[in-house]
Amino acid sequence: MSRPSSWSIARHRGPEGPLTGYKIAYPMISADSRRVGFNGVALGRTQVYGQVADAVCIQSPRHHPPSSWCDCGFYCFHTLEDARDLACDPQYQHCVLLEIAASGRFVRYELGLRYARQTVRTVRLGRCGCGRMSTALADGGPGVVGWRRLHPVCGLCAGPRPVLTLAAFATLSGGVTVCSDQAGDDPDAVFAPLAGVADDVDEASLVPLLSAEVALLQARLDQVQSRLEQLTHRSE
Ligand SMILES: [Zn+2]
Ligand SMILES: [Zn+2]
């Protein structure tokens, strides 16, 4: 996010209420699986914040973010499109989109805000790594002390792995709305399964598939067995 040519810090107050912004973050779950939160992608990567949070400065405890001579504070874009664009960067592939309400002191930039207090209103899940729309959150590997990172996944890629449903994430977050990021374009209008390729492999079709494979394997084993017997008899 570009810095303004001149700093203009203003305290937001008054009838228009908190300002709406958009950002990306990693969804997190606490080590005891009792709480969920969000982990920033740039500054504050070591911190996890909840639905409502006040920015803290990791450089100095002597001032309140956003300080005019420091880069502390929460950041957000003015538009969902800008946040969505950033989420396309490979290093942010497993991020989710947040719609937030910014309050308290803030600095306004051309593309967004740097501000003191944040309330996460909505979490939007993007696509799974396979390209399908994500429908749940699964354990995603790297975390920070006390927190594990979650990755958005589709049902097919999640497979038998345990997942956190969107409803469960919403409950643990304390009231954030969680949904799939369907807004904007209609992905199905551009991307669609190839003709003749199953869109989804459910258990009903998976079981006969596996049975067929097991039957084939059994037949092959019988063949090897009889061949072995033939060879054994021949050598006697
Ligand atoms: Zn600071
Ligand atoms: Zn997938």
Side-chain angles (χ1 to χ4, degrees):
M1 198 174 293
S2 61
R3 290 190 173 190
S5 51
S6 64
W7 292 93
S8 54
I9 298 197
R11 178 174 285 280
H12 174 76
R13 60 167 91 83
E16 59 182 306
L19 299 168
T20 299
Y22 303 89
K23 65 194 292 178
I24 60 172
Y26 294 111
M28 311 291 284
I29 187 161
S30 62
D32 63 4
S33 301
R34 288 172 191 268
R35 288 172 299 149
V36 294
F38 306 94
N39 183 213
V41 297
L43 299 162
R45 250 178 305 206
T46 54
Q47 291 165 324
V48 174
Y49 52 87
Q51 189 196 7
V52 182
D54 289 300
V56 287
C57 181
I58 51 171
Q59 328 274 1
S60 163
R62 285 196 287 273
H63 61 251
H64 295 291
S67 166
S68 53
W69 52 269
C70 191
D71 52 10
C72 55
F74 288 117
Y75 286 74
C76 72
F77 289 107
H78 294 311
T79 69
L80 175 61
E81 287 66 34
D82 278 337
R84 208 182 262 143
D85 283 353
L86 187 62
C88 294
D89 188 305
Q91 60 178 320
Y92 307 133
Q93 192 193 355
H94 301 296
C95 281
V96 293
L97 296 163
L98 304 184
E99 181 190 313
I100 59 91
S103 54
R105 284 159 54 86
F106 69 87
V107 185
R108 183 182 289 276
Y109 300 88
E110 191 188 339
L111 290 177
L113 300 169
R114 183 158 69 93
Y115 52 99
R117 187 157 229 251
Q118 173 175 277
T119 304
V120 179
R121 285 177 177 154
T122 307
V123 179
R124 286 184 173 84
L125 269 60
R127 288 166 196 277
C128 172
C130 72
R132 289 182 186 82
M133 196 49 74
S134 300
T135 50
L137 292 155
D139 209 294
V144 298
V145 176
W147 296 86
R148 288 178 288 145
R149 188 184 284 182
L150 298 169
H151 282 179
V153 288
C154 75
L156 202 58
C157 290
R161 276 190 295 168
V163 294
L164 194 65
T165 63
L166 305 195
F169 188 92
T171 304
L172 291 174
S173 73
V176 171
T177 302
V178 190
C179 60
S180 294
D181 183 37
Q182 305 276 17
D185 57 343
D186 175 6
D188 295 333
V190 184
F191 285 94
L194 279 171
V197 177
D199 184 27
D200 224 8
V201 180
D202 56 13
E203 216 171 316
S205 57
L206 200 62
V207 169
L209 258 176
L210 286 174
S211 309
E213 205 161 307
V214 168
L216 208 68
L217 198 68
Q218 194 58 56
R220 184 87 187 102
L221 275 173
D222 289 345
Q223 214 176 21
V224 172
Q225 186 71 40
S226 65
R227 184 88 185 106
L228 263 176
E229 273 168 15
Q230 277 174 10
L231 286 170
T232 320
H233 286 308
R234 205 178 292 167
S235 61
E236 272 172 1

